[in-house]
Amino acid sequence: MQISPDTTPANFVGDGPGVAYQYPNPGAGQTVTKSVQVNQQVEYYLRVQNDGNQNDRFTITTDSIDTADWSITYYYDSNADNVPDTVIPDANLLVSAGGFVPPITVTVTSSLWLKVELFTANGLAPNKDIVFTAISVGNQAAQRDSCKAATQLASVYLSTPADGKVVGPEVIVIGKGFANSSVEIRQNNNPITTTTADANGLFRVRLIQAD
């Protein structure tokens, strides 16, 4: 199983013939990380390869479906043209539901393409990791692999005291960036101050306007 930030073949990372499978916990070599801003969409592409010497069926699963913070849509290539454009209902992929039913047939030396899209309108949504697994129906013990899509949300918005109305010369800048990263606050493109995001990427700065 391989994963990529886009459809470029050279950008896929993960297993291939002769490369060790990583199941059920994909490492850095089988993880793609992307950042996205609130109200924007991010997508990942996956390939399930048949590295065996005969046609096989694979059960595809994931550990994530829609949540209050993230809208997640899955697609698969239903006509073998390497374009994943057929929506997979969430429940048909969950591990607890037994995965994609019926299992998908992948012929020798070929690949099945899938796509996942994520979207959030919540500026404080937690970062989202999605783990995918592919397990051979014919050889479950040996032919199984996993990969991860790691999405980091970067967002900044202003908040003022109390009910949102300006009270005095004070403004609170709240945002979400990347874990333990340095954050520079600017006004009219001029640096005002800096701070450091916490382990979850959150930061909060209290600014007081000079007289």
Side-chain angles (χ1 to χ4, degrees):
M1 190 175 218
Q2 297 181 315
I3 186 168
S4 173
D6 51 45
T7 58
T8 305
N11 289 339
F12 279 85
V13 298
D15 83 274
V19 179
Y21 300 128
Q22 296 182 11
Y23 175 89
N25 301 310
Q30 297 202 175
T31 298
V32 168
T33 302
K34 298 180 74 172
S35 61
V36 64
Q37 294 183 0
V38 65
N39 291 320
Q40 292 186 355
Q41 180 175 285
V42 64
E43 59 186 30
Y44 302 84
Y45 289 83
L46 300 102
R47 291 190 307 200
V48 178
Q49 300 181 142
N50 184 348
D51 296 335
N53 56 13
Q54 60 184 349
N55 297 345
D56 199 355
R57 293 187 302 156
F58 291 84
T59 299
I60 314 299
T61 62
T62 180
D63 61 353
S64 300
I65 60 172
D66 284 350
T67 67
D69 294 310
W70 290 95
S71 173
I72 307 171
T73 306
Y74 298 99
Y75 302 84
Y76 82 106
D77 172 16
S78 61
N79 55 7
D81 62 355
N82 293 343
V83 179
D85 52 10
T86 301
V87 174
I88 307 171
D90 289 345
N92 287 14
L93 278 170
L94 276 182
V95 175
S96 59
F100 201 159
V101 178
I104 302 171
T105 296
V106 183
T107 58
V108 176
T109 70
S110 68
S111 301
L112 170 74
W113 285 61
L114 301 101
K115 179 175 72 170
V116 57
E117 296 175 345
L118 292 91
F119 173 88
T120 185
N122 180 2
L124 290 179
N127 294 338
K128 184 65 177 177
D129 289 353
I130 301 179
V131 174
F132 302 87
T133 65
I135 302 177
S136 162
V137 173
N139 190 0
Q140 296 184 22
Q143 303 298 321
R144 55 188 186 178
D145 200 13
S146 63
C147 60
K148 181 191 295 185
T151 303
Q152 299 179 333
L153 178 67
S155 60
V156 177
Y157 61 92
L158 298 180
S159 174
T160 50
D163 59 359
K165 296 180 181 179
V166 176
V167 180
E170 179 181 288
V171 64
I172 307 296
V173 180
I174 302 173
K176 188 172 189 299
F178 305 121
N180 305 310
S181 62
S182 177
V183 179
E184 183 178 70
I185 309 298
R186 290 172 171 256
Q187 181 178 27
N188 298 326
N189 207 32
N190 295 314
I192 299 176
T193 187
T194 60
T195 188
T196 301
D198 65 16
N200 295 313
L202 300 175
F203 62 88
R204 182 179 186 273
V205 178
R206 177 172 176 260
L207 302 176
I208 298 178
Q209 182 178 344
D211 294 335

